[in-house]
Amino acid sequence: MAVLLGVVVAHSAALGDRRNYPYVAPAKPLAHKGFTVSVWTTTYYQAVTGDIIEAGAAVEEPEDTVTDLKDDLGLERELALGIGVLVAHQSPWWPDVRFDYYPVEFVGQHVLSKNLRIGDMSFRAGQLVKSRFEAVMLDSTLLYTPLRLGQKRSPWLILELGATIRHTEAGLNVRGTGIWRVGSERYDVPFLPMGFLALDVFPFRYFGLRTEARAITDGTNQWLDLAADFRSWYMKKSVWIGLGARLQKLDVTQAGEGGLDATILAGQGSLGIRF
């Protein structure tokens, strides 16, 4: 009995004495209290093309009620900075929550080649006008992950499905130089529901492709928002850098109320952190 007790004590002492072993810090879990938080910022270099269709007949004949954003107003490419936040639950029963802030701004000046009407104001051919098109989009998204393949910490395929509520405030101001004449149009949409789909494909452990799509249509009017970027992960998949593009296609035409047919194409670079 004494011999057996001595062996147990010696064995326990050998396990407890690790002074000759290097210290290995325990890996920090990605989730705290059952969820992770991701924060990112995205820089957009974007260009806009398309038409604005004014409602009703011309005010001063003859004039055109269709304004080309590029050829008539000379709107130039501009930089913008967006912000996103994602709260992802570890429980499959609770949806993840995502918020996105996406600004749009274009300015330009151009000598009109035709008589033009913006809002309630008319502008004559040969006149120099200065224009500004601004928009702010705020997205709130609830999403689920019905498909996840690969290791828990490093899946190679992720499918996300959900719904987005988009709040949009947009406006166009056109001012004729040398005269007190400003034409304005507003395009505010308080709440617009959109379907959301995202797919992550990471064939390599720390490098892959992220694609996202938001869309709504009634058969005639539509808003399509597509984005894709290549992402590279660092620091045990806690930080990422992305590079890609975003395309938005907005086509809204109402009888007697005018419309907007615009396309915004942007190159984008993102930097995010997950904790």
Side-chain angles (χ1 to χ4, degrees):
M1 184 65 179
V3 174
L4 179 60
L5 183 59
V7 171
V8 172
V9 171
H11 181 67
S12 301
L15 291 177
D17 187 2
R18 300 185 56 87
R19 290 174 296 180
N20 296 326
Y21 291 85
Y23 172 73
V24 179
K28 293 182 178 180
L30 286 178
H32 301 279
K33 298 182 181 180
F35 61 88
T36 61
V37 178
S38 300
V39 181
W40 63 91
T41 179
T42 305
T43 300
Y44 301 95
Y45 183 62
Q46 47 199 357
V48 62
T49 57
D51 299 319
I52 294 176
I53 305 169
E54 301 294 337
V59 178
E60 298 179 10
E61 299 288 354
E63 66 182 9
D64 202 326
T65 57
V66 178
T67 304
D68 188 289
L69 295 172
K70 183 67 176 178
D71 295 338
D72 294 333
L73 302 183
L75 297 181
E76 300 290 342
R77 295 179 177 88
E78 297 288 344
L79 286 171
L81 185 65
I83 300 174
V85 178
L86 171 67
V87 180
H89 293 275
Q90 301 302 302
S91 171
W93 307 109
W94 292 94
D96 298 337
V97 183
R98 173 171 169 172
F99 302 97
D100 292 271
Y101 164 77
Y102 176 49
V104 173
E105 181 178 7
F106 300 97
V107 295
Q109 62 180 19
H110 194 68
V111 177
L112 296 179
S113 60
K114 59 184 180 183
N115 298 339
L116 199 64
R117 179 162 65 90
I118 304 294
D120 296 329
M121 291 295 173
S122 297
F123 301 89
R124 315 313 297 172
Q127 183 178 359
L128 177 66
V129 295
K130 295 184 178 181
S131 309
R132 179 182 297 272
F133 180 77
E134 297 178 295
V136 172
M137 285 166 273
L138 300 174
D139 288 354
S140 301
T141 305
L142 296 178
L143 56 94
Y144 283 93
T145 306
L147 180 63
R148 182 190 297 264
L149 301 178
Q151 300 178 6
K152 184 176 182 180
R153 290 174 61 93
S154 300
W156 66 270
L157 179 65
I158 301 175
L159 174 65
E160 299 174 351
L161 298 175
T164 295
I165 298 297
R166 172 167 290 181
H167 174 81
T168 305
E169 296 181 359
L172 171 68
N173 291 321
V174 178
R175 179 171 62 87
T177 58
I179 60 174
W180 292 99
R181 177 170 288 193
V182 179
S184 300
E185 283 284 359
R186 297 294 305 178
Y187 311 95
D188 296 343
V189 182
F191 301 102
L192 180 67
M194 308 178 75
F196 177 88
L197 182 147
L199 183 66
D200 287 352
V201 181
F202 285 86
F204 305 101
R205 184 176 179 86
Y206 295 106
F207 181 77
L209 176 66
R210 166 80 176 183
T211 60
E212 297 179 358
R214 299 173 181 83
I216 185 173
T217 181
D218 62 1
T220 302
N221 305 305
Q222 63 180 1
W223 193 336
L224 183 64
D225 187 347
L226 304 175
D229 61 352
F230 292 97
R231 289 188 178 180
S232 181
W233 289 85
Y234 304 92
M235 300 177 63
K236 297 182 180 181
K237 303 201 76 171
S238 296
V239 177
W240 80 79
I241 296 176
L243 185 64
R246 184 170 185 172
L247 171 67
Q248 294 206 63
K249 175 66 176 176
L250 178 60
D251 187 358
V252 179
T253 304
Q254 301 293 338
E257 299 181 4
L260 176 64
D261 181 4
T263 299
I264 300 175
L265 179 61
Q268 64 180 33
S270 61
L271 172 64
I273 181 171
R274 180 175 61 178
F275 53 90

